[in-house]
Amino acid sequence: MSGQVHPPLPQGAGYGVVVGFGVAFALGMIWVTKALKKSFNEDNKSTETFMVANRTVGTGLTASAVISSWLYSTALLGASLLTYRYGLALGVWWGASASTMVCFLSLLAIEAKRRAPNAHTLLELIRVRYGTFAHLLWIVFCLLTNVLNFTGMLLGASAAVTSLTGMDVIASTYLLPLGVGVYTYFGGLRATFLTDFLHTFIIMIILVWLMIKILVAKEIGSIGALYDAVVAADKIRPVAGNFEGSHLTMRSEQCLYFGILHVISNFGAVIMDTGFWQKGFSADVAAAVPGYVLGGVASFSVPWTVGTFGGLAAVALESTPAFPTYPRLMTTEEVSSGLVLPYVVQAVTGAGGAGALLITIFMACTSVASAHMIAISSIISFDIYGTYINEKATDKQLIRWSHIGVVVTSLVIPSLATAFDQGGVDMTWLLYVVGNITNPGCFPTIFALLWKGQTKAAAITAPIVGVCCAVSVWLGTAYAYFGEISIASTGSTMPSLFGCVTAFFVPLPVSLLVSLARPSSFEWSVFRRQIKKVRQSEGEKAENQEDPESWFTPERKQYMKKMTRWAIFWTIFTLLGHFFLWPFAMYGAKMVFSKSLFTAWIVVSLIYLFFTLLVSNIYPLYDGGIRKIWTVVTGRASRKGETSIEGQLEASDGSSDTPPAKQASVETKVLEA
């Protein structure tokens, strides 16, 4: 038999989904944008709406957007391929790298509201506190973070689309972001939140169906049959570094190394991604912490469940006639390109399942792409044009440059992804390596918002020293291990791990030492005085701007302090539970899962996946979504004083800023539960 794997779907299906769905979403978002302006006075010609959605997004939509941020194609494909390589411990480590970071970001989100309620981007905070040079430095770090993560996601998605349909990989690379660029161009960040919800709604339903389908398919049949098949496969091809060579153990060296690498890397991926900060700025005061915590905890299940089911099913089916590559095994290139999950779906569901996975990958890719486009365009418009080219830029001018940023991103990222693909760089290489570039800015960024003692010299010195040390350790370790510096050696586990850890931790002592050598203290009120909302016209005077101090009512101050305590609690809870007490503790137990323990493992992961489905799909509708959708569909205008679709549920006056007592009570009860 030929070694060529024939796609289960025709090329027309690929072009139909990538182009057709893209056009449909673009047209739909244009209509929604107009409807929102009519019903809720949501005008995306305003920078406050386009960039931060008027800071009134509710808990349900925030949680859904957070989950969507971790449904990127790299997570779905990468968790499956690494579970196939190293075992079921991988999914837990990947889930921990998502939940712990997002819950920590809830702390940053509420602290940003306490100290800079009118902020638009992370870089704006850096400029106000540390000046021009630091601002330019952070522009480089943040652009690299968004560009590399966007590119890695697009590499994996385009390879999967090609394997499912036979569509040309370059065509899929350029066409996947096309529709996204159109609806992001018209809808801005509000479009991102709405499409996040719609995409996540569809993705979660398909993922639940696919996971169940994998278990009940005739090629597997049951949880017990999957267990037996993996045990049999491990006797033939044991996993190096795993206890007894088994996939069914938490005692896996490679999973441990990847877990540490990925958890630390995701600190950089989240903290240095301006898109995550903008979602925090966009959330209502009463929604910032509950939304991020719910979304963070719920996001754990997707890489855990999908990785476990997809990776172990590939181990079980690879030597059977049902598998697309039979009678040969998958090549290293196929695995690294993320084709494990597509091949499994082809084996157990045929063309129907392949079509469902194609839609899932498209949705996951476009949802994350929209967030990255907004993040990159905001840097171009607000932090480059509005800061250094036209300091008196108005709404119209900033929106024009935001649109330019979206168009540029839609063209540059596919070109970069194509260059990587043609040069032999795949999704897995970027997944392992990106932390070396993004992590040096983590501690200086955290200190910029949480520690008034970090000085300007420390903020500038720490990330520069960190990136120099990280690159040196990364390349030096690659040469020490493999005798060469190449794509293969630099993308290996140990060089990436050592470089990533160096990049993360070296800036910490540097910042502390430089700051303490010549100590100074920053006054947080500077953020409130200098960061203003964007003027709608050149004729708008400064005195017409809202007084930031009037925003801090005693009730709001008390509420935000309470939410800060909750954010700290959930950050510590998820870090201890999802990182130390679960995978670390089980790593210490030298054991292979019994069939009963494996069955419980699978059942609990499915229950957790259903919980994520409820949080992402049902809760946003319960959280006022149904009423607001009905208002838009019927074309009615919202009640007086209700200026945002995620504003007050019980509006009694013209202010949409004060968190209503009823909503605050509901969110507190959610956290306490």
Side-chain angles (χ1 to χ4, degrees):
M1 294 179 63
S2 171
Q4 180 69 32
V5 177
H6 297 286
L9 300 172
Q11 286 191 26
Y15 285 101
V17 169
V18 172
V19 179
F21 274 43
V23 171
F25 272 106
L27 294 176
M29 190 48 58
I30 294 173
W31 174 81
V32 168
T33 301
K34 293 181 179 179
L36 290 177
K37 183 176 181 180
K38 177 181 179 181
S39 298
F40 298 101
N41 197 29
E42 286 282 346
D43 186 4
N44 275 340
K45 293 181 180 180
S46 162
T47 301
E48 296 296 321
T49 302
F50 191 90
M51 290 180 61
V52 290
N54 291 326
R55 300 176 177 84
T56 53
V57 178
T59 302
L61 210 54
T62 299
S64 177
V66 168
I67 295 171
S68 176
S69 298
W70 291 104
L71 282 177
Y72 55 101
S73 56
T74 311
L76 302 178
L77 303 173
S80 298
L81 79 87
L82 292 174
T83 299
Y84 164 80
R85 279 179 173 173
Y86 306 131
L88 55 72
L90 191 286
V92 179
W93 283 111
W94 197 306
S97 70
S99 60
T100 53
M101 304 318 112
V102 174
C103 288
F104 175 70
L105 201 61
S106 70
L107 174 61
L108 298 181
I110 194 64
E111 287 300 289
K113 291 187 176 297
R114 291 181 64 190
R115 292 165 180 171
N118 290 330
H120 304 83
T121 69
L122 158 66
L123 297 165
E124 191 176 24
L125 302 178
I126 301 299
R127 178 181 57 81
V128 169
R129 180 162 183 183
Y130 300 121
T132 299
F133 187 84
H135 184 238
L136 294 173
L137 181 63
W138 255 260
I139 286 176
V140 174
F141 275 116
C142 291
L143 280 176
L144 284 173
T145 300
N146 285 109
V147 166
L148 292 177
N149 285 327
F150 192 174
T151 303
M153 178 271 300
L154 191 57
L155 277 172
S158 58
V161 169
T162 298
S163 73
L164 290 169
T165 66
M167 183 178 177
D168 182 78
V169 67
I170 297 179
S172 64
T173 301
Y174 275 93
L175 292 175
L176 273 170
L178 182 62
V180 188
V182 175
Y183 73 68
T184 304
Y185 182 99
F186 286 99
L189 191 62
R190 178 69 73 184
T192 297
F193 276 100
L194 296 175
T195 52
D196 279 351
F197 170 68
L198 181 57
H199 288 171
T200 305
F201 192 96
I202 297 171
I203 290 171
M204 289 306 304
I205 292 174
I206 293 177
L207 287 181
V208 169
W209 173 74
L210 283 177
M211 297 307 102
I212 295 175
K213 184 66 175 178
I214 287 174
L215 286 182
V216 302
K218 63 180 181 179
E219 292 81 4
I220 295 177
S222 66
I223 299 175
L226 176 61
Y227 177 88
D228 293 335
V230 173
V231 169
D234 285 341
K235 293 179 179 178
I236 302 173
R237 295 184 301 277
V239 182
N242 283 20
F243 181 69
E244 296 184 359
S246 175
H247 278 83
L248 307 176
T249 179
M250 293 293 291
R251 184 78 175 190
S252 169
E253 292 180 359
Q254 289 296 324
C255 287
L256 175 65
Y257 297 151
F258 174 82
I260 297 173
L261 166 66
H262 203 51
V263 168
I264 294 177
S265 290
N266 275 352
F267 263 107
V270 171
I271 293 172
M272 302 307 294
D273 183 350
T274 57
F276 275 101
W277 285 79
Q278 281 179 272
K279 289 179 180 179
F281 295 147
S282 302
D284 185 77
V285 174
V289 173
Y292 270 91
V293 168
L294 273 176
V297 173
S299 64
F300 182 94
S301 73
V302 175
W304 178 29
T305 308
V306 175
T308 300
F309 282 55
L312 295 185
V315 175
L317 296 174
E318 192 176 17
S319 298
T320 68
F323 207 71
T325 63
Y326 183 82
R328 67 172 176 85
L329 302 179
M330 287 184 285
T331 65
T332 303
E333 291 74 17
E334 288 172 322
V335 175
S336 296
S337 297
L339 302 184
V340 173
L341 184 61
Y343 284 169
V344 168
V345 171
Q346 291 180 48
V348 300
T349 64
L357 183 61
L358 175 64
I359 294 173
T360 299
I361 292 172
F362 171 80
M363 296 291 183
C365 178
T366 55
S367 181
V368 177
S370 180
H372 282 302
M373 285 182 180
I374 286 291
I376 296 173
S377 70
S378 70
I379 295 174
I380 293 174
S381 64
F382 199 84
D383 292 294
I384 297 178
Y385 174 77
T387 302
Y388 299 109
I389 299 176
N390 184 3
E391 295 183 6
K392 297 182 179 181
T394 59
D395 260 343
K396 184 177 180 180
Q397 294 167 326
L398 290 174
I399 290 297
R400 182 188 304 122
W401 278 90
S402 294
H403 289 166
I404 292 173
V406 170
V407 174
V408 170
T409 305
S410 302
L411 298 175
V412 171
I413 298 299
S415 299
L416 183 60
T418 300
F420 276 139
D421 178 70
Q422 297 300 305
V425 173
D426 56 27
M427 174 191 73
T428 306
W429 189 90
L430 282 173
L431 179 66
Y432 274 71
V433 166
V434 68
N436 295 294
I437 308 300
T438 60
N439 282 349
C442 289
F443 276 112
T445 300
I446 295 170
F447 289 158
L449 188 63
L450 301 184
W451 181 37
K452 62 174 60 178
Q454 180 173 253
T455 64
K456 177 180 178 180
I460 294 173
T461 304
I464 294 176
V465 173
V467 75
C468 292
C469 293
V471 172
S472 300
V473 170
W474 171 41
L475 298 180
T477 307
Y479 186 82
Y481 268 88
F482 302 99
E484 63 177 6
I485 296 178
S486 63
I487 293 176
S489 66
T490 55
S492 299
T493 302
M494 299 313 294
S496 299
L497 175 61
F498 287 126
C500 180
V501 171
T502 301
F504 184 71
F505 284 108
V506 164
L508 175 59
V510 173
S511 178
L512 293 175
L513 291 174
V514 175
S515 296
L516 296 177
R518 299 186 65 181
S520 65
S521 181
F522 180 75
E523 185 61 47
W524 297 121
S525 60
V526 173
F527 282 148
R528 299 195 293 271
R529 292 196 303 268
Q530 294 192 20
I531 299 178
K532 307 287 186 179
K533 292 184 178 180
V534 177
R535 299 174 303 157
Q536 293 185 351
S537 67
E538 294 187 17
E540 183 179 354
K541 297 181 179 180
E543 55 264 26
N544 293 331
Q545 293 279 333
E546 179 184 5
D547 180 15
E549 298 300 331
S550 67
W551 189 83
F552 288 92
T553 62
E555 294 79 11
R556 182 176 280 112
K557 288 182 179 179
Q558 182 180 7
Y559 179 80
M560 289 192 292
K561 287 181 180 179
K562 185 176 183 178
M563 288 296 100
T564 295
R565 292 193 294 270
W566 275 115
I568 294 172
F569 166 78
W570 278 103
T571 298
I572 296 173
F573 180 82
T574 52
L575 184 62
L576 291 177
H578 288 173
F579 187 75
F580 290 104
L581 298 181
W582 188 347
F584 256 131
M586 294 191 73
Y587 177 84
K590 296 182 179 180
M591 56 169 286
V592 175
F593 279 32
S594 64
K595 184 176 289 188
S596 58
L597 177 58
F598 179 75
T599 301
W601 186 271
I602 294 296
V603 171
V604 171
S605 69
L606 274 176
I607 294 173
Y608 205 154
L609 191 66
F610 273 102
F611 166 73
T612 305
L613 176 71
L614 293 175
V615 172
S616 63
N617 291 20
I618 307 303
Y619 185 65
L621 298 177
Y622 170 78
D623 188 36
I626 293 178
R627 177 180 61 80
K628 294 158 189 171
I629 291 173
W630 177 252
T631 300
V632 171
V633 170
T634 56
R636 297 185 293 110
S638 62
R639 292 176 299 176
K640 184 180 179 180
E642 189 176 341
T643 60
S644 170
I645 66 168
E646 290 293 340
Q648 301 176 41
L649 299 183
E650 299 293 331
S652 58
D653 55 37
S655 172
S656 63
D657 287 327
T658 303
K662 179 178 179 180
Q663 186 177 359
S665 175
V666 170
E667 307 307 350
T668 303
K669 289 179 180 178
V670 169
L671 287 173
E672 290 173 346

